[in-house]
Amino acid sequence: MANQRVLVIGGGLAGLAAAMKLAELGTPVDLMSLTPVKRSHSVCAQGGINSCNDQTRQLGDSEWKHLDDTVYGGDFLQHQPPVKEMAYAAPKIIDLMDRLGVTFNRTQEGFLDHRRFGGTLYKRTAFAGATTGQQLLYALDEQVRRYEADGLINKYEYWDFLSPIRDDAGVCRGAVAQNLMTMEIRSFAADVVIVASGGPGLVYGRSTMSMVCTGSAVSRCFQQGAKYGNGEFIQVHPTAIPGADKLRLMSESARGEGGRVWVPRKPNDSRAPQDIPTAERYYFLEERYPEYGNLVPRDIATREIFDICVNDGLSVEADRQCVYLDLTHIPRAELDRKLGGILEIYEKFQGVDPRDFPMKIFPAVHYSMGGLWVDYQKSAEGGLEAGSPRNQSTGIPGLYAIGECDYQYHGGNRLGANSLLSCIFSGLFVAPCVQSAMEAQQGSAADQPASLYENARQDKQSEHDALLNQAAGGENPYLLHQELGALMTRAATVVRRNDQLTEAYEKLGELAERSRNCSLSDSGAWTNQNVVFTKALKDMFPIAKSIVRGALNRDECRGAHYKPEFAFSGLESEEPAERHHQAEAWCDRFEKNTEKWLKSSVASWDGENPQIAYEEVDTSLIPPRPRLYGLVGGEVIEQVWAERMARRHGESGNGAPQESSQAAPSTT
Amino acid sequence: MSDHAANGHSDSFEVRILRQDAPGESSYWERHRVEHEPDMNVISVMQRVAARAQSADGKPVAPVAWDCNCLEEVCGACTMVINGQARQACTALVDKLLDEQPAEIELQPMQKFPVLRDLVVDRSRLFRALTRVKGWVPVDGSYDLGPGPRQSRTEQEVAYPLSQCMSCGCCLDACPQYTKIELTPGVDESAADFAARQEQTHDSAFLGAHAISQTVLFNSHPTGKVNAGERLDVLMDEGGLQICGNAQNCVAVCPKEIPLTTSIARAGRATTFRLLERWFEK
Ligand SMILES: Cc1cc2nc3c(=O)[nH]c(=O)nc-3n(C[C@H](O)[C@H](O)[C@H](O)COP(=O)(O)OP(=O)(O)OC[C@H]3O[C@@H](n4cnc5c(N)ncnc54)[C@H](O)[C@@H]3O)c2cc1C
Ligand code: SF4
Ligand code: SF4
Ligand code: FES
């Protein structure tokens, strides 16, 4: 239909990919972002992007195995059709990014180089130095600039999305937004709005995320009727550099190359690390996990570091929690060769050379698996139906969500280097879906009465004016934000306990109440960051409440969600028959738990609180199986499980990846 | 707080900030006092200033406006003039600054861009230059057409540093040839008309070192080369390469250590060839 436009909120990888694809298909796009799109949070990603590739394929890898690793890593909590579609699209996405000029590292012969990331046995990860996210984002930013020069894309940078506009029938017809410089509030008519606004790190105060990752855009859609899925699943990275302003990521490769984690055995030991003799150092990962040592899986490393500081009180510093990550035993030349880039980051921000002094690190909130609930349409092959208007739809007609802000691809836990992939994939994939939605739409945005847009604008204008003029209530939004961050970090990160969550939920209610009485210290009419921040802060509460409520309800351990009270311990008996018996019981319990909890939480907002419903997960491609990494007796459980599956499904099928001709289309 | 005391810094320090309430208005200095904390950078100083909303003499003041996002020196947002030098606020460590200049830190907005408020400036001219030089690879489209052209390790190692340019503009702020352009909207001028007039003005002004370096990046890409001639023509046009006086300030301040003067030299050689080529085409 002529004159139809799409409004994309967010210009990270997901938003740029969608804008580029839509423009290529001939649809004009308005692209809105808090920052110039080139400065979006996606630039922070260092590690890389996953896909099955020519080399891994010859070692037995396939798209199907990428799918399997992703759902196994996610503890089976994601619908499998979208993940399948993504895994099969991945090699093509890497090819595309390569053609767009991304400066991927090369092999001697000039092919793309790859590294291995957690959660897989294959070297699937393509990378560009230590700045893969930046390089991918720039390539898309450049293509978008090209379409902008042709007049197909209009950018609205330094605009804050305030709300979707819904007509009487509930259809989304555009959005209200505010210019961060002039403070002008206006309506944007659009036939489809795609939200690509990234993660909500600021709900936790400080995290590894960027400063615009407030989750505000998502919260505003949520408050207007969109649903929020799997909120309780928050990934915490084991090693970050605590900073007064931000927690900066320290890559896993530091441990991969021999880094040792330790604390002084004596609480509050004030000696410099090099003066503490070996006998007085507690290499707690090596002692507690002799087999894996410092390279225990991410979630275990995170929990142990947290535990040693919070429960054992052995933090290196008295007023700040951290442990040593020590590389000083490795020769300088070797460190420079293997870890140069990331060590420079530490040096740059801490002003200390990690080749001479142990680094101080602590776990940090890193990624939200949860996000806006979105729909999908399954194809006959078990993937997605290309071009279906249901894919990535929030359920509100005309409102779509993609990238980190949707809940679709990572289930209970995201594998490293899979997020850049899901962002680009969902951005490219949504474009034709949105076009079909527009074709099917009753009446276009251009036909809507002007009053629809004017009323929506006025609502937001009055809210803004009221906030600016409200009597000083005495609450400081920045200090309130610190309180919120501390509360969330304490109750809803690594280890979760129902009493703490219950208390936190109540406290959130109080903080939300207090946030209504913020005193604005700025009445300026230009670039009033104070009022913009206060709005974002208020909108953090619906997200924070959904996270905490979801975590409170979920009485089990799954992926990043860990409640010690419900953890499955390993097998105790050493006696083979008894051990087997215990393994059977373990598997019974696992099956019962799967029955009860293999469900996504789907929150809707009632104005004060999230109401949580549960949705069955489509596990039709790969049946759920226990994640046993590091568990005592894991081998026996695995064997019992395999026998059980074999009995149930006849001949083969232990739940491990099966490339059946029906589920996986043949690739030629 | 043993380490900073050992460095001789006291428990608090003063921050002098050049403020401006709105575009076109006059600027004024304001003093703030900030408690010293370990590992502080200028961003955390700004956060303390915003939370306190009081000047050093206890007067309530509006929080200072500033720009930032990644806090890891990859997004380019937080550029400001710190102790007289354009640099990123996120990597400007307080202890180092206090070593440079004891007891006080001085913050000013970038000098070559119009101030919107306080330390926030309008850098649209910088982005516009990327459009001028066609800073992209002109692919056929995003359909699945197989992998990109094969490239050697050496080619990647030359291109990668150039592709790290984060559009911060330090190189422009430091360049004697890059002069500030600040237009004011006419009384009856619409926002769109004003933007168009601004773009037009920017299009004939100096491109700047960052954009020259981007032409070198795209002209050396196997597919990007297709537009090499057009890019060089832009460098030879008004506001192009000839304005550069080779003062080398740019390369000295680039936080990403991009070899800007090497790029400028390479662009210079390429435009000479282009000139001959055009002459023969006649
Ligand atoms: C330090 C770090 C390292 C990482 N490394 C990797 C890695 O190696 N591999 C990997 O796969 N993943 C990695 N990730 C995760 C990955 O970087 C992100 O999930 C991904 O970049 C998110 O992209 P996005 O497009 O969804 O959103 P973003 O890039 O966050 O962009 C969001 C956009 O929305 C805009 N926006 C937000 N709110 C509003 C609003 N209210 N109004 C208007 N606009 C708004 C913003 O301005 C921005 O343009 C890493 C993450 C971090 C924090
Ligand atoms: S070398 Fe050219 S671009 Fe760089 S500072 Fe000097 S005049 Fe400016
Ligand atoms: S060349 Fe360097 S200083 Fe200039 S904009 Fe790019 S990163 Fe910034
Ligand atoms: S905040 Fe991104 S460069 Fe400083």
Side-chain angles (χ1 to χ4, degrees), chain A residues 434-624:
Chain A
V434 156
Q435 283 199 316
S436 337
M438 293 196 298
E439 274 160 29
Q441 223 169 43
Q442 302 278 313
S444 77
D447 306 331
Q448 303 306 309
S451 59
L452 176 68
Y453 296 106
E454 180 47 24
N455 293 343
R457 189 198 68 80
Q458 261 176 16
D459 279 353
K460 290 293 152 191
Q461 186 70 54
S462 349
E463 272 176 37
H464 176 77
D465 295 342
L467 190 56
L468 268 189
N469 298 327
Q470 88 185 7
E475 294 291 348
N476 180 324
Y478 301 103
L479 300 180
L480 212 50
H481 178 233
Q482 284 174 18
E483 275 189 63
L484 169 66
L487 176 68
M488 290 299 289
T489 305
R490 212 164 45 237
T493 47
V494 185
V495 177
R496 297 159 174 201
R497 291 175 213 279
N498 283 341
D499 52 346
Q500 283 181 355
L501 289 164
T502 309
E503 199 189 311
Y505 195 81
E506 260 172 48
K507 195 87 208 292
L508 279 175
E510 289 164 28
L511 291 179
E513 200 52 51
R514 281 169 56 197
S515 75
R516 298 192 181 126
N517 299 321
C518 279
S519 290
L520 296 196
S521 43
D522 192 352
S523 53
W526 268 87
T527 324
N528 188 327
Q529 295 176 332
N530 200 213
V531 67
V532 172
F533 182 79
T534 305
K535 285 181 195 178
L537 172 69
K538 289 177 158 184
D539 290 326
M540 286 178 203
F541 291 101
I543 301 291
K545 284 184 176 177
S546 302
I547 295 171
V548 172
R549 172 51 71 186
L552 184 55
N553 285 9
R554 188 176 284 277
D555 281 338
E556 66 155 350
C557 297
R558 183 177 300 281
H561 172 77
Y562 180 75
K563 276 187 183 171
E565 205 183 328
F566 299 94
F568 284 24
S569 46
L571 310 183
E572 280 157 14
S573 175
E574 297 289 342
E575 195 273 310
E578 177 57 18
R579 209 164 162 82
H580 194 273
H581 182 73
Q582 284 183 352
E584 287 284 356
W586 197 101
C587 290
D588 289 344
R589 194 175 160 205
F590 173 79
E591 287 201 77
K592 249 172 91 186
N593 188 66
T594 304
E595 176 70 24
K596 184 163 180 208
W597 280 116
L598 185 55
K599 292 183 175 89
S600 303
S601 65
V602 182
S604 27
W605 186 245
D606 73 3
E608 280 300 321
N609 293 294
Q611 298 301 331
I612 298 190
Y614 289 88
E615 173 192 66
E616 289 300 326
V617 180
D618 181 336
T619 56
S620 57
L621 303 175
I622 298 174

Side-chain angles (χ1 to χ4, degrees), chain B residues 101-120:
Chain B
Q101 183 177 303
E104 181 188 87
I105 294 173
E106 186 195 86
L107 307 176
Q108 295 181 60
M110 294 176 86
Q111 301 179 345
K112 302 294 172 66
F113 299 95
V115 173
L116 294 169
R117 184 172 178 188
D118 298 334
L119 303 170
V120 181

Side-chain angles (χ1 to χ4, degrees), chain B residues 171 174-177 206 208-209 243-251 261 264:
Chain B
C171 57
C175 170
Q177 300 301 100
F206 183 35
I243 297 192
C244 165
N246 211 15
Q248 315 221 352
N249 292 10
C250 49
V251 73
T261 38
I264 291 171

Side-chain angles (χ1 to χ4, degrees), chain B residues 203-214:
Chain B
D203 281 354
S204 54
F206 183 35
L207 284 163
H210 75 302
I212 297 171
S213 182
Q214 291 290 300

Side-chain angles (χ1 to χ4, degrees), chain A residues 9-14 32-35 40-42 44-48 159-161 196-198 208-209 212 216-217 220 249 366-367 403-404 414 417-420 423, chain B residues 72:
Chain A
I9 311 295
L13 283 173
M32 177 181 292
S33 167
L34 286 168
T35 60
S40 294
H41 167 63
S42 292
C44 289
Q46 301 167 1
W159 282 82
D160 186 12
F161 163 83
S197 56
T208 62
M209 288 187 221
V212 301
S216 62
R220 289 161 191 170
L249 192 69
H366 184 51
Y367 185 86
E404 185 172 341
R414 170 185 69 99
N418 252 355
S419 171
L420 299 179
C423 289
Chain B
E72 298 186 356

